[in-house]
Amino acid sequence: MKRPVVNISSIERVGRMAVGGLGALAGVLLLLSAADSTIVVILELLLVAAGLDLIITGATGHCPLYSRLGHVPPSLKDRP
């Protein structure tokens, strides 16, 4: 299996992993506390999923949405 092309800058990768980690942690902590309704639980699960997505895209350096949109950060445009 071919590894995807890196299309996220180093600074953005660190930011994604930090924000994603905080989001996933907050979502898990909220899930462990008493939830009042089904909608609240769904929103908490979405927060965990969004956090995990940011962690994964930051760790791999590849964002599928950026690929679809053709976005390449200026710092990566000079790479071969």
Side-chain angles (χ1 to χ4, degrees):
M1 189 163 117
K2 186 178 174 186
R3 182 180 171 126
V5 176
V6 173
N7 62 357
I8 301 174
S9 67
S10 299
I11 294 172
E12 186 178 353
R13 289 176 76 171
V14 170
R16 279 177 182 248
M17 289 190 294
V19 171
L22 290 173
L25 180 64
V28 168
L29 292 175
L30 288 170
L31 277 171
L32 293 176
S33 67
D36 296 337
S37 68
T38 305
I39 292 177
V40 173
V41 172
I42 291 171
L43 291 174
E44 292 167 352
L45 288 171
L46 287 173
L47 179 61
V48 172
L52 291 175
D53 178 62
L54 287 173
I55 292 170
I56 292 168
T57 57
T60 62
H62 178 76
C63 177
L65 181 61
Y66 279 6
S67 290
R68 288 256 181 178
L69 297 174
H71 172 74
V72 178
S75 61
L76 298 178
K77 285 186 180 177
D78 297 333
R79 283 187 163 182

